Amino acid sequence: MARILFSGGKVFDGSGADPVAADLVVEGDRIVEIGAGLHGPEQVVDCTGMTLLPGLIDCHVHVTVSDVTIKSRVENPFSYQFYQAAQNLARTLAVGITTVRDAAGADLGIKKAVEDGLIPGPRMQIAVSMVSQTGGHGDGWMPSGLCLPLGVPHPGRPSGIADGPAEIRKVAREILRAGADVIKVATTGGVLSPTDDPRHTQLTPAELEVLVTEAAMQGRYVMAHAQGTEGIKNAVRAGIRSIEHGIYLDDEAIELMLANGTWLVPTLVAPVSVIRAAQAGASVPESAVRKSKEVIEVHVDSVRRAVAAGVKIAMGTDSGVGPHGTNLDELPLMAGCGMSPGQVLAATTSSAAELLGYGDQFGRLATGYRADLAIVAGDAYELNHLAANVSQVWKNGQLVARDGQLV
């Protein structure tokens, strides 16, 4: 196997400690040596003036969603989303993100296409569909009586709409059968759904407990779209692993998360992206724009208090709501909630890997870990410029992108 020496740069190991000058050797798809003044391999990558980061991880994307307008859902042919997904995955990989968790939309075929090398992209965990009650955040029913979900059900993406423990159990098993690595559930309303409110509580504790049980029996876990306070608490009490968004956290919710070791994936950029799209002229529903404006300030305050309390944070963007390839816009927003640059990068590497169950494989630059690298010019702590400074992306020991373009 070829040995590659990355020489002359600094290394951010993923732990949150500041970058230090070091060389790194990759053999095959693994990191085999880290230290100062390494020599030997014939292939040398000059990293002078650059910082080596672990491959970045986004814990909340929707690769089959490319915009949130009703127009696109009505006018695009059904299969168009899969070709867009290939483009979205490529754009995500090119900015240094080598692993993603798709939070509903991507089916097993998309994941397998990446794994088999048919299309370039980050490795994937998939939720397939989102479990939601009738009239809940995942129900695409419109006041006109038409149903326009973000993800139309198909044989590889079963409907997630269910009510009551028995229906919830059946739907969970169907989603797991379809290849889900994680079950996603909506325990509150949302910004984009037209008939509910982010503060509304959805599904009962008994329904949520069924999901956690079914996931655990298959060695899986549950992630919750949870924005309102009571829905967050219900999710945490039920044993759900991560709270996505977490807009309306109160002190009790934060204490429960700390006591249960629950993760927070803030997706701070999501409501910002809705407003940006509307300002750019996209036909975003007025209700979504209004709710986005209402939640931004309280969202930041909630995340700031969670960070201060020591809640475990992992990076996620809700990309699809915003453009794929702009994922790193989330990082300065996290810093604005009181996280140091080192903490932000750790949340985007080692912490994200731990949340996804990959903590012993990805997210760190250490011997034995998978050789996923994002090499950035200059100071990696300049989070506002990180995306523009990504010079090279390596996945499994192979160069996959240079200067924002796939190779």
Side-chain angles (χ1 to χ4, degrees):
M1 289 186 286
R3 289 171 61 90
I4 306 170
L5 171 64
F6 296 82
S7 175
K10 291 184 177 181
V11 169
F12 176 85
D13 67 4
S15 69
D18 289 341
V20 296
D23 301 330
L24 181 147
V25 177
V26 167
E27 184 171 353
D29 64 355
R30 300 286 168 173
I31 298 168
V32 296
E33 195 172 2
I34 299 177
L38 300 181
H39 301 283
E42 294 181 0
Q43 184 175 349
V44 177
V45 178
D46 184 4
C47 298
T48 302
M50 298 185 180
T51 305
L52 282 67
L53 308 177
L56 308 178
I57 300 172
D58 190 331
C59 296
H60 194 125
V61 302
H62 298 278
V63 302
T64 59
V65 179
S66 296
D67 66 63
V68 294
T69 66
I70 293 174
K71 183 175 184 288
S72 68
R73 285 182 251 177
V74 173
E75 294 184 353
N76 285 340
F78 172 77
S79 60
Y80 193 73
Q81 64 188 294
F82 300 102
Y83 295 94
Q84 286 183 308
Q87 183 181 67
N88 295 336
L89 286 161
R91 288 174 174 169
T92 303
L93 183 62
V95 295
I97 294 172
T98 55
T99 302
V100 297
R101 182 177 61 171
D102 189 273
D107 62 7
L108 186 59
I110 295 175
K111 178 183 176 181
K112 188 169 174 21
V114 173
E115 289 177 344
D116 293 349
L118 296 181
I119 57 175
R123 68 181 57 79
M124 303 179 70
Q125 278 193 4
I126 57 172
V128 180
S129 303
M130 181 171 67
V131 179
S132 173
Q133 69 181 41
T134 298
H137 178 59
D139 187 344
W141 187 89
M142 296 289 174
S144 65
L146 296 175
C147 191
L148 301 173
L150 277 172
V152 176
H154 68 85
R157 188 169 63 201
S159 171
I161 305 300
D163 301 289
E167 285 188 11
I168 292 283
R169 191 180 307 278
K170 178 72 179 300
V171 163
R173 291 175 178 178
E174 289 176 343
I175 291 171
L176 290 166
R177 180 180 64 183
D181 302 296
V182 53
I183 292 177
K184 184 186 180 186
V185 60
T187 67
T188 72
V191 168
L192 293 179
S193 39
T195 60
D196 60 20
D197 185 285
R199 293 163 291 190
H200 291 169
T201 304
Q202 297 177 359
L203 296 178
T204 66
E207 290 170 316
L208 300 181
E209 289 166 7
V210 167
L211 284 178
V212 173
T213 297
E214 290 297 322
M217 289 194 299
Q218 304 299 322
R220 305 291 195 265
Y221 65 95
V222 182
M223 60 187 292
H225 162 101
Q227 298 183 348
T229 307
E230 293 308 313
I232 292 169
K233 294 175 187 177
N234 286 344
V236 176
R237 292 187 181 113
I240 286 173
R241 185 168 173 82
S242 68
I243 299 300
E244 312 295 307
H245 315 305
I247 292 173
Y248 291 98
L249 293 169
D250 67 5
D251 291 343
E252 184 185 19
I254 290 171
E255 290 171 4
L256 283 169
M257 293 180 74
L258 289 169
N260 288 273
T262 311
W263 290 84
L264 175 63
V265 181
T267 68
L268 291 156
V269 76
V272 175
S273 296
V274 173
I275 295 169
R276 286 175 180 170
Q279 290 173 340
S283 57
V284 180
E286 186 279 331
S287 61
V289 177
R290 172 180 52 79
K291 286 188 281 187
S292 294
K293 292 178 178 178
E294 290 172 353
V295 303
I296 284 180
E297 187 173 333
V298 68
H299 194 184
V300 169
D301 180 66
S302 288
V303 176
R304 184 179 292 119
R305 288 186 291 108
V307 168
V311 171
K312 295 189 293 187
I313 308 291
M315 194 277 275
T317 62
D318 218 358
S319 288
V321 175
H324 297 273
T326 63
N327 310 61
L328 302 189
D329 286 356
E330 178 75 10
L331 275 55
L333 298 179
M334 296 169 73
C337 292
M339 300 178 73
S340 70
Q343 289 175 319
V344 172
L345 292 178
T348 314
T349 54
S350 60
S351 293
E354 184 182 348
L355 167 59
L356 271 53
Y358 295 148
D360 60 347
Q361 303 176 58
F362 309 113
R364 289 186 183 270
L365 297 184
T367 56
Y369 276 68
R370 197 67 66 89
D372 286 3
L373 307 170
I375 304 176
V376 301
D379 185 357
Y381 282 180
E382 292 183 357
L383 300 179
N384 283 301
H385 305 291
L386 189 64
N389 289 341
V390 174
S391 175
Q392 297 179 34
V393 184
W394 294 69
K395 178 186 172 190
N396 291 329
Q398 300 290 321
L399 179 66
V400 294
R402 187 191 299 273
D403 297 326
Q405 300 295 321
L406 297 187
V407 297

